[in-house]
Amino acid sequence: MHPGHFFLALVLTKFACALSPTVVHEKRVDHPSLIHSRRLEAHVAVPLRIGLKQQNTGHLPLHLLSVSDPQSPHFGQHWSAEKVAQVFAPANESRDAVAAWLVGAGFDKERLRMSHNKAWVHVDNATVDEVEALLGTEYHVYNHHESGEEHAACDSYSLPAHIAHHVEIITPTVQLNIKLGSSSTRCSKRSKRTGPAPVFPLHVPAGCDQAFTPACIHSLYNVTYVPKATDRNSFGIVSQAPATYLQSDLDTFFANFTPSLVGKSPLFVSIDGGIVEAVNGTDVGEDGWILQYTMSLVEPQPVTMLQVGTLITGNFLSFNEWLDAVDGLYCTSNGGDDLTYDPQFPNLPIGDFQEHSCGTVKPPLVISNSRADFEYRLSPFYTARQCNEFAKLGLMGVTVLFSAGNAGAAGTTRGYCLDDNGSVNLNATHFNPGWPGGCPWITSVGGTQVKANASGLASTTGVAQEEVWNQDMTHGFFVSSSGGFSNRFPMPQYQRAAVNSFLEKLKKTNPEQLRHFNPGGRAYPDISANANNFVTVENGVFSLDSGTSGAAPTVASLITLVNDARLAVGKSPVGFINPTIYSPNFARAFNDVVSGTSQGCKGWQGDRGGGFQAGPGWDAASGVGTPNLGLLIEKWLALP
Ligand SMILES: *[C@@H]1O[C@H](CO)[C@@H](O)[C@H](O)[C@H]1NC(C)=O
Ligand SMILES: *[C@@H]1O[C@H](CO)[C@@H](O)[C@H](O)[C@H]1NC(C)=O
Ligand SMILES: *[C@@H]1O[C@H](CO)[C@@H](O)[C@H](O)[C@H]1NC(C)=O
Ligand SMILES: *[C@@H]1O[C@H](CO)[C@@H](O)[C@H](O)[C@H]1NC(C)=O
Ligand SMILES: *[C@@H]1O[C@H](CO)[C@@H](O)[C@H](O)[C@H]1NC(C)=O
Ligand SMILES: *[C@@H]1O[C@H](CO)[C@@H](O)[C@H](O)[C@H]1NC(C)=O
Ligand SMILES: *[C@@H]1O[C@H](CO)[C@@H](O)[C@H](O)[C@H]1NC(C)=O
């Protein structure tokens, strides 16, 4: 244990006696996969953490736009990590108020500790009954109906009104982060090729609709650039243990498609116990696929695999582990002494991690994630906090990309949507936006498929040879590119012109659809790339993988090449790209996806399938379109 600072210096009386009404701070909605089991036992210890309100986060969007809007005089002038930490750190006043409240509620001050980053107050050995009294709540245990895993949470909790504005989030409380179905969190879909392995070389680029290879990306997306600033550049993909890759699979793939890479591995960074070795139950398909393509596309630029250990968290999904690793200010722990990740009890095996990775990783300039969650499952405080963190990375010049997901406008591949009260069920008809697609400060990548019999050559007209990715599934409902509108985050300025033009068209062509989503929300995806029929090698066998899991790392690879071109001439990396890619000057640097539709809810499919239809310009199925790298590099080199 690293004892933190005790709160000896404060003026307790200033707050302790103030009687104040309580307000509900966070609450969660029901989840169909959870079965209530029992009240959590009163004596169980809860690793109580109070996340203090950060300062100046209201100005984050302005600061971010000032360094990433191509019209801004400060374009590209990213902030140092130190400046970011200093500007947003919580105020002493918040720390003191929270400490006084806890002491007033009967927690001895010896039990309170401050995290090293001054952002979290820890309460030692708090028990369920103590925390229930403090937060006016009850903790219950729920079982996940498929895995049987136990999760504990409260439905909501309250704070005194005079404390609430000093607190961002309290853990563990309402967060559950369980997974809804195997394909809902991982943006991929496997379809094993049956019959004989393909004979290489395949006939590409024609045939990219049937078997998509690196040659298809080179051809379709006009990729001829060869990196020359690899010493200054960096590119990371986030992976979640026990998923990993087999070097033998990489080598077989490289031997066929990128011979110069045979024998090469990604750089490896372990976060919270991530391990590269394949163990029993390890999935080597998804990471293998992503590495085969990213390494091939940016070669000779090394690719870093940021491997997050999930030996403790099992089926949980969180982006906080790697965010903790790249930003010590964000993370909840002192480093090394406890597991402070969101859903973390009952029976938390404290100390199981040798080291909680907190601020241990310098963020790569481009970070690609192939997983997605749902907005409705996370509390507004939680999503606000995480979204701010993505904005901070953008402020530091990091491009953060996420797969949009594989579930169309519905949240899940089985077509579950949202009721009026925010719960999900199969008959519901409100579109169910993903997370973090709804955060305006990340770049969300949707999926396309190459049209049948397309030439596979780069478009000379600016219109893509691709349509929206949309495939039937034998089991379940469908898979198609996710996209839609956040119910929480308002539409950011940078996309207003593009999205409003889409909404205007919708009013004329399909006005009924407007009733099924929040047209004032942040709209996604921002951009797209092929998500269909990637040829990969898994466990020694050639197979075809599909999903936006492949689209995000493809776009991330091309942004890494843009960064190389800028770094090579002494310019800054591109950082947060959305204000740039939506700017009219960049429109011609994308292949506009104008056909195809994503899927809607099972409960409301309408006469057009219910999902979003692609058309000229931005749309909620394909974003601004797929990249034309040659043109993008020209345009980005013209910016300061
Ligand atoms: C905040 O408190 C610390 C001591 O815990 C002190 O060193 C620092 O000067 C204070 N900052 C401000 C702005 O008062
Ligand atoms: C918490 O409880 C454990 C076991 O009951 C004990 O060993 C430890 O000293 C306690 N920690 C504090 C800070 O009271
Ligand atoms: C992996 O699992 C199989 C069957 O489940 C078992 O026979 C084998 O011993 C396990 N191997 C290791 C290394 O745990
Ligand atoms: C939400 O509404 C649905 C019906 O539309 C109902 O079945 C469900 O019980 C409601 N849930 C809550 C938490 O009110
Ligand atoms: C959906 O509607 C059908 C038919 O009206 C009904 O039988 C079923 O129980 C409903 N399901 C849910 C989850 O509300
Ligand atoms: C693609 O080409 C094949 C063979 O020439 C033809 O049978 C098929 O109809 C074509 N499909 C489309 C969508 O043009
Ligand atoms: C591909 O990019 C190059 C610049 O690298 C550009 O000259 C060319 O016109 C682009 N090709 C197409 C088809 O857009």
Side-chain angles (χ1 to χ4, degrees):
M1 299 276 279
H2 304 269
H5 305 250
F6 292 105
F7 293 98
L8 295 177
L10 33 142
V11 190
L12 293 178
T13 48
K14 189 168 157 201
F15 304 96
C17 300
L19 274 177
S20 141
T22 63
V23 292
V24 173
H25 197 64
E26 291 187 89
K27 64 180 179 192
R28 72 180 180 82
V29 293
D30 282 341
H31 196 287
S33 304
L34 291 177
I35 301 155
H36 181 259
S37 158
R38 61 178 193 278
R39 190 81 191 264
L40 185 60
E41 293 75 12
H43 64 272
V44 171
V46 177
L48 185 63
R49 307 275 181 269
I50 296 154
L52 301 175
K53 178 93 181 158
Q54 301 172 81
Q55 297 183 91
N56 302 317
T57 51
H59 302 306
L60 246 178
L62 274 183
H63 291 313
L64 179 59
L65 288 182
S66 128
V67 300
S68 41
D69 182 341
Q71 306 284 338
S72 161
H74 305 290
F75 177 83
Q77 297 171 19
H78 302 120
W79 292 17
S80 67
E82 293 70 28
K83 180 170 173 189
V84 170
Q86 182 228 320
V87 168
F88 301 107
N92 284 355
E93 186 203 353
S94 294
R95 173 198 69 185
D96 295 349
V98 165
W101 164 58
L102 291 167
V103 170
F107 291 89
D108 192 287
K109 63 178 183 291
E110 303 295 317
R111 294 169 69 189
L112 309 184
R113 288 179 297 124
M114 193 77 205
S115 68
H116 70 103
N117 56 24
K118 309 282 192 281
W120 291 80
V121 176
H122 301 211
V123 182
D124 279 332
N125 290 1
T127 56
V128 166
D129 51 357
E130 283 181 310
V131 179
E132 287 184 345
L134 180 73
L135 302 178
T137 188
E138 287 181 2
Y139 282 87
H140 293 266
V141 178
Y142 300 87
N143 288 85
H144 189 252
H145 78 92
E146 278 168 8
S147 66
E149 271 179 9
E150 287 194 330
H151 303 294
C154 56
D155 293 338
S156 70
Y157 66 91
S158 303
L159 295 175
H162 75 281
I163 291 302
H165 67 280
H166 293 296
V167 172
E168 232 160 56
I169 193 168
I170 298 184
T171 66
T173 53
V174 296
Q175 299 80 24
L176 273 165
N177 286 23
I178 49 85
K179 72 195 250 180
L180 184 59
S182 56
S183 54
S184 62
T185 56
R186 163 169 296 181
C187 301
S188 67
K189 163 198 168 233
R190 297 290 151 61
S191 62
K192 289 288 167 302
R193 177 176 281 268
T194 52
V199 178
F200 292 101
L202 288 163
H203 297 294
V204 289
C208 291
D209 56 326
Q210 299 292 323
F212 196 84
T213 64
C216 294
I217 297 177
H218 285 129
S219 172
L220 273 174
Y221 300 151
N222 195 15
V223 181
T224 54
Y225 183 83
V226 179
K228 45 193 179 230
T230 56
D231 55 329
R232 279 154 283 170
N233 203 0
S234 52
F235 176 22
I237 62 157
V238 176
S239 152
Q240 197 112 15
T244 183
Y245 69 94
L246 296 177
Q247 184 64 42
S248 54
D249 285 349
L250 300 193
D251 288 340
T252 306
F253 183 88
F254 294 149
N256 281 279
F257 298 108
T258 326
S260 57
L261 283 176
V262 172
K264 295 268 168 47
S265 308
L267 304 175
F268 184 77
V269 170
S270 171
I271 294 172
D272 294 347
I275 50 167
V276 73
E277 281 79 21
V279 295
N280 247 4
T282 293
D283 170 11
V284 294
E286 169 129 334
D287 286 357
W289 165 26
I290 292 170
L291 290 169
Q292 287 158 26
Y293 279 80
T294 51
M295 290 173 70
S296 294
L297 289 172
V298 303
E299 195 262 319
Q301 171 67 46
V303 174
T304 301
M305 182 176 177
L306 301 167
Q307 166 74 291
V308 178
T310 51
L311 302 176
I312 307 296
T313 54
N315 273 345
F316 288 128
L317 175 70
S318 169
F319 310 119
N320 279 351
E321 291 171 301
W322 68 262
L323 284 171
D324 281 356
V326 300
D327 183 359
L329 184 75
Y330 184 70
C331 61
T332 56
S333 89
N334 267 336
D337 60 352
D338 54 17
L339 192 168
T340 51
Y341 158 62
D342 324 327
Q344 51 183 290
F345 75 107
N347 307 324
L348 174 72
I350 288 181
D352 265 22
F353 282 166
Q354 298 309 306
E355 299 241 357
H356 178 90
S357 304
C358 176
T360 52
V361 179
K362 185 169 162 26
L365 294 180
V366 173
I367 301 179
S368 180
N369 288 260
S370 287
R371 300 204 175 217
D373 204 328
F374 302 99
E375 182 179 85
Y376 82 91
R377 286 202 297 182
L378 304 162
S379 78
F381 281 92
Y382 185 94
T383 51
R385 183 177 164 81
Q386 198 166 64
C387 190
N388 280 340
E389 188 62 19
F390 293 130
K392 288 186 205 164
L393 287 171
L395 204 43
M396 293 189 273
V398 175
T399 311
V400 179
L401 301 112
F402 276 88
S403 301
N406 297 347
T412 73
T413 51
R414 291 174 188 175
Y416 283 84
C417 281
L418 299 175
D419 267 319
D420 289 345
N421 59 24
S423 343
V424 284
N425 77 52
L426 269 187
N427 295 345
T429 64
H430 295 294
F431 293 161
N432 184 2
W435 180 257
C439 168
W441 317 127
I442 60 110
T443 300
S444 172
V445 184
T448 62
Q449 60 195 24
V450 179
K451 289 180 187 167
N453 301 346
S455 75
L457 301 175
S459 165
T460 51
T461 60
V463 175
Q465 299 198 22
E466 302 146 87
E467 58 199 359
V468 175
W469 179 58
N470 191 342
Q471 301 278 323
D472 287 333
M473 262 165 89
T474 316
H475 304 291
F477 188 39
F478 54 73
V479 289
S480 77
S481 177
S482 286
F485 293 74
S486 170
N487 288 318
R488 262 178 216 174
F489 292 86
M491 192 185 298
Q493 180 64 46
Y494 64 74
Q495 66 174 189
R496 255 179 230 163
V499 178
N500 283 336
S501 148
F502 169 79
L503 292 171
E504 285 305 317
K505 278 180 262 167
L506 201 58
K507 268 182 206 152
K508 299 195 186 99
T509 57
N510 191 6
E512 160 70 354
Q513 193 177 47
L514 287 159
R515 302 220 311 265
H516 298 269
F517 64 90
N518 166 29
R522 137 73 163 161
Y524 73 100
D526 299 299
I527 185 173
S528 54
N530 179 67
N532 200 39
N533 285 342
F534 284 83
V535 174
T536 74
V537 178
E538 176 177 348
N539 278 315
V541 178
F542 280 96
S543 58
L544 293 178
D545 276 357
S546 297
T548 55
S549 274
T554 298
V555 172
S557 299
L558 304 193
I559 297 299
T560 296
L561 296 178
V562 173
N563 273 345
D564 184 285
R566 282 180 56 90
L567 294 169
V569 297
K571 295 192 175 188
S572 64
V574 293
F576 179 55
I577 61 172
N578 294 12
T580 304
I581 66 176
Y582 281 86
S583 65
N585 178 36
F586 270 64
R588 186 56 189 84
F590 296 99
N591 310 305
D592 195 0
V593 178
V594 297
S595 56
T597 313
S598 66
Q599 292 282 350
C601 312
K602 201 141 195 173
W604 183 76
Q605 294 189 51
D607 57 358
R608 289 160 225 252
F612 293 107
Q613 186 145 24
W618 183 92
D619 55 69
S622 69
V624 297
T626 61
N628 180 325
L629 183 70
L631 301 184
L632 281 173
I633 288 178
E634 282 177 7
K635 291 196 179 290
W636 249 306
L637 279 178
L639 293 179

